[in-house]
Amino acid sequence: MLTKRIIPCLDIKNGRTVKGVNFVNLIDAGDPVELAKAYAKSGADELVFLDIAATLENRSATLDLVYKVAEQINIPFTVGGGISSEEHVDKLLKNGADKISINSSAVKRPELINELSNKFGNQCIVVAIDAKQIDGEWYVHLAGGTIPTDIKLFNWAKEVEERGAGEILFTSMNHDGTKNGFANEALAKLSDLVNIPIIASGGAGTIQHFTDTFIEGKADAALAASVFHFGEIPIPELKRELKNNDIAIRL
């Protein structure tokens, strides 16, 4: 059995780590380089770095900050934000990223997934999907959740797998920052639908929420931000508890 992964997420704006609720009301959460270093030491399995303003500002993720973070860590490192070309990906990988995450650019031009997967290998292509449940149906949103679309989550997830995505990072906008638990029903449906790993994002508030998303949500990895940034859930304690619940995890 593959081990489950715990992934802290650094949402970056203006060179600082920020965190909000339902994608708004952002507050400062610290220096990304120092946070990254601390997470690598505390047993995080991977790290995700999302330059959340990049798409809105029509640019790619900040290269110098990616390089500084990569220098400090020894765990897989995924970078996202405004990536829309092979050139962007090439520069990020050369600056220390192990994987890249695309979101809005993939929806706008789905062939990008094929192109990046063919050139760099699907193992380093993560497609992030921000979706919101509206009247019982999940719809994909773009540009940091600011632009709604009529694209349905499960249709899009199947398409990105077929186009060569190696993983899907699914964030429930309804659950983001609420600390009420992950969208396990949708996660389980995604897991049954596709044959690539699903990273759960949005809603972590307690250790039990992680246990639930691995068991009920069938998630392969769980991503969280504020509960880690503000010391509410120490990663070593979380992992010990998951192990006690017979969840395969690397201690």
Side-chain angles (χ1 to χ4, degrees):
M1 178 187 284
L2 287 173
T3 56
K4 305 295 188 180
R5 290 169 288 147
I6 299 298
I7 307 176
C9 180
L10 304 177
D11 290 324
I12 308 297
K13 188 172 185 183
N14 300 324
R16 296 287 291 178
T17 310
V18 296
K19 188 60 196 127
V21 177
N22 303 127
F23 283 46
V24 294
N25 301 323
L26 301 177
I27 60 169
D28 189 275
D31 175 57
V33 179
E34 291 305 314
L35 280 169
K37 196 193 308 187
Y39 288 137
K41 284 181 180 172
S42 70
D45 297 295
E46 298 188 17
L47 190 69
V48 167
F49 172 115
L50 298 177
D51 190 330
I52 61 172
T55 296
L56 292 170
E57 294 172 6
N58 199 28
R59 59 174 175 77
S60 182
T62 311
L63 288 174
D64 61 335
L65 196 51
V66 168
Y67 181 80
K68 287 174 184 172
V69 169
E71 267 196 319
Q72 298 296 329
I73 63 175
N74 59 354
I75 54 177
F77 178 34
T78 300
V79 176
I83 299 167
S84 59
S85 70
E86 290 181 13
E87 183 187 13
H88 285 165
V89 175
D90 192 52
K91 285 179 179 175
L92 288 166
L93 295 177
K94 283 175 178 170
N95 275 271
D98 298 292
K99 307 180 197 179
I100 60 92
S101 171
I102 53 175
N103 189 333
S104 301
S105 58
V107 176
K108 291 172 184 171
R109 197 170 72 81
E111 302 80 22
L112 180 65
I113 305 169
N114 304 70
E115 293 164 9
L116 297 181
S117 180
N118 289 337
K119 174 150 189 181
F120 301 102
N122 71 342
Q123 79 287 342
C124 77
I125 308 303
V126 179
V127 173
I129 305 176
D130 299 331
K132 192 173 191 177
Q133 191 174 32
I134 302 167
D135 297 329
E137 187 71 66
W138 288 90
Y139 291 98
V140 174
H141 283 57
L142 308 183
T146 60
I147 301 172
T149 75
D150 59 1
I151 300 167
K152 294 182 178 179
L153 165 64
F154 301 106
N155 295 345
W156 179 232
K158 193 65 189 165
E159 181 176 345
V160 304
E161 178 188 33
E162 290 166 355
R163 287 184 176 277
E167 283 185 282
I168 290 172
L169 167 55
F170 164 57
T171 301
S172 163
M173 293 176 62
N174 305 73
H175 295 71
D176 177 70
T178 63
K179 300 186 182 178
N180 291 326
F182 294 92
N184 292 325
E185 193 176 324
L187 283 160
K189 189 172 175 182
L190 278 174
S191 186
D192 290 339
L193 180 69
V194 301
N195 295 306
I196 55 177
I198 302 292
I199 304 168
S201 169
T206 67
I207 288 176
Q208 187 62 46
H209 291 155
F210 286 88
T211 302
D212 292 343
T213 205
F214 288 134
I215 296 173
E216 296 167 19
K218 304 180 184 179
D220 299 281
L223 177 146
S226 59
V227 292
F228 295 145
H229 298 340
F230 303 120
E232 294 162 41
I233 300 179
I235 291 174
E237 183 184 326
L238 168 60
K239 287 189 151 191
R240 282 194 299 272
E241 195 58 35
L242 291 170
K243 194 84 166 176
N244 291 341
N245 281 286
D246 296 322
I247 292 166
I249 198 87
R250 181 183 66 87
L251 291 178

